[in-house]
Coordinates of all heavy atoms in Angstrom, one line a residue:
S20 N 5.8 20.1 -13.1 CA 5.8 20.5 -14.6 C 5.0 21.7 -14.9 O 5.3 22.5 -15.8 CB 5.3 19.3 -15.4 OG 3.9 19.1 -15.2
L22 N 4.5 24.2 -12.5 CA 5.1 25.4 -11.7 C 6.6 25.7 -11.9 O 7.0 26.7 -11.6 CB 4.8 25.2 -10.2 CG 3.3 25.1 -9.8 CD1 3.2 24.8 -8.3 CD2 2.6 26.3 -10.2
W23 N 7.3 24.7 -12.5 CA 8.7 24.8 -12.6 C 9.1 25.8 -13.7 O 8.5 25.8 -14.7 CB 9.4 23.4 -12.9 CG 10.8 23.4 -12.5 CD1 11.8 23.5 -13.4 CD2 11.4 23.2 -11.2 NE1 13.0 23.3 -12.7 CE2 12.8 23.2 -11.3 CE3 10.8 23.1 -9.9 CZ2 13.6 23.1 -10.3 CZ3 11.7 23.0 -8.9 CH2 13.1 22.9 -9.0
P24 N 10.1 26.7 -13.4 CA 10.5 27.6 -14.5 C 11.0 26.9 -15.7 O 11.7 25.9 -15.7 CB 11.6 28.4 -13.8 CG 11.6 28.1 -12.4 CD 10.9 26.8 -12.2
Q25 N 10.6 27.5 -16.9 CA 11.0 26.9 -18.2 C 12.5 27.1 -18.3 O 13.1 28.1 -18.0 CB 10.3 27.7 -19.3 CG 10.2 26.9 -20.6 CD 9.3 25.7 -20.5 OE1 9.4 24.9 -19.6 NE2 8.5 25.6 -21.5
G26 N 13.1 26.0 -18.8 CA 14.6 26.1 -19.0 C 15.4 25.4 -17.9 O 16.6 25.0 -18.2
L27 N 14.9 25.3 -16.7 CA 15.6 24.6 -15.6 C 15.2 23.2 -15.6 O 14.0 22.9 -15.8 CB 15.3 25.3 -14.3 CG 16.0 26.5 -13.9 CD1 15.5 27.0 -12.5 CD2 17.5 26.3 -13.8
M28 N 16.1 22.3 -15.3 CA 15.8 20.9 -15.2 C 15.2 20.6 -13.8 O 15.8 21.0 -12.8 CB 17.1 20.0 -15.4 CG 17.6 20.2 -16.8 SD 19.0 19.1 -17.1 CE 18.2 17.6 -17.4

Side-chain angles (χ1 to χ4, degrees):
S20 67
L22 299 176
W23 200 259
Q25 199 72 311
L27 278 179
M28 295 184 82

